[in-house]
């Protein structure tokens, strides 16, 4: 038999959280055709992978790549770190269904300017992704704040019954068109005043589809446990799985509380499908939020509309230069983005290591001076946390970025190296792989990523994109509740 591609003698870590084994892998027609001893086989393309790990392509479960996958479909920040699938629409903000009457409200502006929002129906967005032929696969959530902006004249209140009914219609249409579920960003001012009942009513649309509820909690600071309880209440009401986005102990007064958060997650998981994602850094990044301005930790400005020249500068330095308080400086910079050094490393490690956590970058591709997670999150888990720190074995690191993620989001035929599965694959050197992007130079490609295949097409190798874009839109597949272990 002749294969399209033969990858010989790789250490296969297949995404199932089990130790690796050495074998050959034959690819044909975009899928993994055969795994085993293929020494007698031939192929159009052959790769000697001895000493390298072959893993499923990484699934970035928490992105804000909604519009960039269409406008800049090469997706080099993700492809270069081995990511083959991105999940968009997180934190309550999505590119569709959206009909803007003016500039996008904060934090929807993280996805681009008004011109980037041209998808009044989810079906329009799905067609645009397919038309753009991005280099990575794309699956999408529907943002609660996006729905609110379509139907409300004032986002700083709770929605009326008629507004909720209109949002429900759009959510249902989007779920019918293949959306994964609903996301909220209840910490943001544009959704903070939405009462729990508003979200409960919206979440009822998830039930019939077996769709997922993901949430940027109402607070990641002192009231974080109460915010988690609200998320679990919504999930139980909708009979929908719950994924807590970028679980963290935010703010210096909250450091050391990760055991409490994880105990809450474990207790909920005994009776309901729940999980979380996290990114492997002790600093967050978002829009510049006046509620988070503090002198307790460092804050770096990533962009500012009135003062673009100050991107990359610390807020404290800017305030000192202007001779004003931190708060006054923050107000003068608005609208703006920031990196907040507001977490404790030990909390990050405990959450990252927990069996219920997946890896997501939460990278912001529109930032002129982005958080390094945009380019480095996945190799950082492999190199720094698994190999150098020894937080978990390599096969567990891979599982958190592949098999676990595919199961949770119902990405059928992906996330594991199995015969018949789609050939989304990454080949890397386990001794060399590492994140190079840092807070001073955040836009740098990882080292040690030797090859990335998307749907069987070699899309990145030797530090370069190959120019071939083989990604596709991935519609929700089946009941997502099946991908969670309840009661374990």
């Amino acid at each position: 038999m002749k294969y399209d591609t033969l990858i010989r003698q790789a250490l296969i870590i297949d995404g199932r959280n089990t130790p690796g084994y050495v074998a050959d892998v034959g690819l044909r027609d975009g899928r993994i055709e055969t795994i085993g001893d293929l020494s007698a086989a031939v192929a159009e393309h052959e790769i000697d992978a001895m000493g390298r790990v072959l893993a499923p392509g990484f699934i970035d479960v928490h992105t804000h790549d909604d519009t960039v996958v269409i406008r800049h479909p090469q997706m080099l920040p993700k492809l270069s770190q081995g990511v083959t699938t991105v999940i968009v629409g997180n934190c309550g903000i999505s590119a569709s269904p959206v009909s803007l009457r003016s500039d996008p409200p904060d934090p929807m502006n993280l996805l681009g300017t008004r011109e980037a929002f041209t998808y009044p129906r989810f079906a329009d967005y799905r067609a645009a992704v397919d038309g753009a032929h991005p280099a990575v696969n794309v699956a999408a959530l529907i943002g609660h704040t996006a729905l609110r902006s379509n139907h409300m004249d004032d986002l700083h209140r709770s929605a009326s019954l008629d507004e909720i009914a209109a949002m429900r219609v759009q959510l249902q249409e989007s779920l019918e068109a293949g959306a994964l579920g609903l996301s909220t960003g209840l910490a943001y001012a544009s959704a903070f005043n939405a009462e729990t009942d508003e979200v409960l009513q919206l979440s009822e649309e998830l039930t019939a589809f077996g769709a997922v509820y993901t949430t940027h909690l109402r607070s990641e600071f002192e009231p974080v446990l109460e915010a988690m309880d609200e998320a679990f209440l919504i999930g139980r009401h909708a009979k929908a799985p719950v994924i807590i986005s970028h679980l963290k102990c935010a703010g210096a007064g909250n450091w050391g509380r990760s055991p409490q958060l994880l105990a809450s997650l474990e207790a909920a998981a005994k009776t309901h499908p729940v999980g979380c994602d996290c990114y492997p850094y002790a600093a967050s990044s978002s829009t510049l939020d006046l509620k988070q301005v503090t002198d307790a930790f460092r804050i770096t400005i990533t962009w500012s509309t009135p003062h673009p020249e100050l991107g990359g500068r610390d807020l404290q330095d800017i305030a000192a230069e202007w001779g004003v308080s931190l708060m006054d400086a923050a107000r003068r910079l608005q609208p703006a983005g920031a990196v907040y050094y507001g977490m404790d490393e030990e909390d990050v490690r405990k959450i990252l290591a927990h069996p219920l956590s997946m890896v997501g970058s939460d990278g912001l591709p529109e930032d002129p001076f982005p958080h390094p997670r945009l380019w480095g999150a996945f190799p950082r888990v492999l190199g720094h946390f698994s190999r150098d720190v020894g937080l978990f074995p390599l096969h567990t690191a891979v599982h958190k970025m592949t098999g676990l993620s595919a199961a949770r989001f119902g990405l059928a035929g992906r996330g594991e190296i199995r015969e018949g599965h789609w050939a989304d694959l990454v080949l890397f050197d386990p001794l060399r792989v590492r994140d190079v992007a840092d807070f001073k130079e955040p836009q740098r490609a990882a080292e040690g990523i030797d090859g990335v295949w998307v749907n069987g097409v070699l899309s990145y190798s030797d530090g370069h994109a190959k120019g071939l874009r083989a990604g596709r839109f991935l519609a929700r597949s089946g009941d997502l509740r099946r991908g969670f272990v309840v009661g374990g």
Side-chain angles (χ1 to χ4, degrees):
M1 177 182 290
K2 185 171 183 179
Y3 297 96
D4 298 333
T5 301
L6 254 178
I7 304 168
R8 297 192 183 276
Q9 291 297 288
L11 175 62
I12 296 173
I13 297 183
D14 65 11
R16 285 181 267 194
N17 203 16
T18 53
Y21 60 94
V22 175
D24 307 326
V25 178
L27 314 182
R28 193 164 65 165
D29 297 332
R31 293 185 184 264
I32 299 166
E33 179 91 10
T34 314
I35 303 169
D37 180 359
L38 303 177
S39 53
V42 294
E44 191 173 338
H45 304 286
E46 296 194 18
I47 293 100
D48 178 2
M50 189 172 290
R52 301 291 191 266
V53 168
L54 185 68
F58 305 137
I59 298 167
D60 192 343
V61 297
H62 193 105
T63 84
H64 297 288
D65 295 332
D66 303 53
T67 65
V68 77
V69 293
I70 297 166
R71 292 182 292 113
H72 303 290
Q74 192 57 67
M75 294 298 292
L76 192 60
K78 297 301 169 68
L79 202 59
S80 64
Q81 55 181 310
V83 170
T84 57
T85 297
V86 297
I87 293 176
V88 303
N90 286 281
C91 295
I93 58 176
S94 58
S96 73
V98 172
S99 302
L100 292 176
R101 294 180 287 275
S102 58
D103 289 338
D106 184 310
M108 286 176 63
N109 53 6
L110 290 174
L111 303 183
T113 60
R114 185 177 181 178
E115 292 71 31
F117 293 86
T118 59
Y119 316 106
R121 300 177 308 145
F122 185 73
D124 301 324
Y125 177 75
R126 179 174 175 172
V129 170
D130 280 334
H133 302 290
V136 297
N137 303 309
V138 180
L141 296 154
I142 302 302
H144 171 225
T145 300
L147 295 174
R148 299 185 101 229
S149 74
N150 294 339
H151 301 288
M152 298 178 66
D153 56 359
D154 177 11
L155 298 181
H156 298 91
R157 62 173 173 81
S158 203
S160 69
L161 291 177
D162 287 346
E163 289 163 344
I164 293 171
M167 286 190 264
R168 288 183 69 157
V169 169
Q170 283 197 309
L171 178 57
Q172 182 186 45
E173 288 174 349
S174 302
L175 292 167
E176 287 174 346
L180 294 170
L182 174 70
S183 79
T184 57
L186 299 174
Y188 292 104
S190 49
F192 185 78
N193 290 308
E195 295 172 4
T196 304
D197 188 61
E198 176 183 322
V199 187
L200 285 170
Q201 291 185 59
L202 270 178
S203 74
E204 290 170 2
E205 296 299 330
L206 304 174
T207 312
F209 295 92
V212 71
Y213 174 63
T214 76
T215 179
H216 177 146
L217 294 168
R218 199 176 287 274
S219 177
E220 297 173 327
F221 291 81
E222 194 278 330
V224 61
L225 291 174
E226 292 83 351
M228 291 177 72
D229 287 343
E230 179 188 37
F232 301 144
L233 172 70
I234 292 164
R236 287 193 295 268
H237 178 77
K239 300 181 177 62
V242 176
I243 294 173
I244 295 176
S245 298
H246 41 59
L247 184 62
K248 64 171 75 73
C249 301
N254 229 17
W255 293 350
R257 293 184 68 199
S258 53
Q260 295 176 46
L261 274 61
L262 294 170
S264 173
L265 195 69
E266 290 170 5
K270 289 177 180 175
T271 58
H272 193 79
V274 304
C276 69
D277 66 60
C278 62
Y279 47 81
Y281 299 85
S284 62
S285 182
S286 187
T287 51
L288 180 58
D289 180 4
L290 297 181
K291 291 188 296 183
Q292 294 190 51
V293 172
T294 177
D295 60 3
F297 49 79
R298 183 179 164 206
I299 299 172
T300 303
I301 301 304
T302 56
W303 59 272
S304 167
T305 298
H307 296 283
E309 73 281 2
L310 296 177
R313 295 274 306 278
D314 281 5
L315 179 61
Q316 195 156 18
D317 293 344
I318 296 167
E321 191 173 290
W322 287 349
V324 299
S325 69
L326 288 178
M327 188 62 72
D328 284 344
R331 288 194 182 101
R332 283 171 60 173
L333 290 163
Q334 297 282 27
V339 167
Y340 305 89
Y341 296 83
M343 288 177 270
D344 179 69
E345 178 72 17
E346 192 57 35
D347 286 324
V348 173
R349 292 186 182 192
K350 285 177 179 173
I351 293 169
L352 183 62
H354 196 275
L356 289 173
S357 73
M358 303 173 286
V359 176
S361 73
D362 197 14
L364 301 175
E366 293 297 313
D367 272 13
F369 193 83
H371 189 302
R373 63 193 181 186
L374 179 68
W375 288 79
F378 291 82
R380 183 170 178 78
V381 173
L382 298 172
H384 176 67
F385 281 109
S386 177
R387 181 191 60 225
D388 300 341
V389 173
L391 191 61
F392 32 56
L394 186 58
H395 59 81
T396 298
V398 168
H399 174 64
K400 285 176 168 289
M401 308 192 296
T402 59
L404 181 61
S405 310
R408 293 263 180 85
F409 285 97
L411 305 179
R414 302 181 193 272
E416 294 182 2
I417 296 180
R418 292 190 189 216
E419 292 180 353
H421 271 42
W422 290 101
D424 291 346
L425 300 165
V426 56
L427 187 69
F428 64 88
D429 184 339
L431 301 179
R432 288 180 49 247
V433 67
R434 71 182 187 101
D435 57 311
V436 181
D438 59 27
F439 289 98
K440 290 183 179 178
E441 294 185 67
Q443 301 184 67
R444 299 169 72 194
E447 293 180 356
I449 303 292
D450 294 330
V452 182
W453 289 261
V454 181
N455 295 309
V457 175
L458 182 62
S459 304
Y460 181 87
S461 69
D462 301 321
H464 300 283
K466 307 303 287 183
L468 301 170
R469 306 201 307 266
R472 58 190 63 166
F473 185 86
L474 305 180
R476 189 190 67 260
S477 177
D479 189 328
L480 303 193
R481 290 170 286 215
R482 296 174 187 152
F484 291 73
V485 176
V486 178

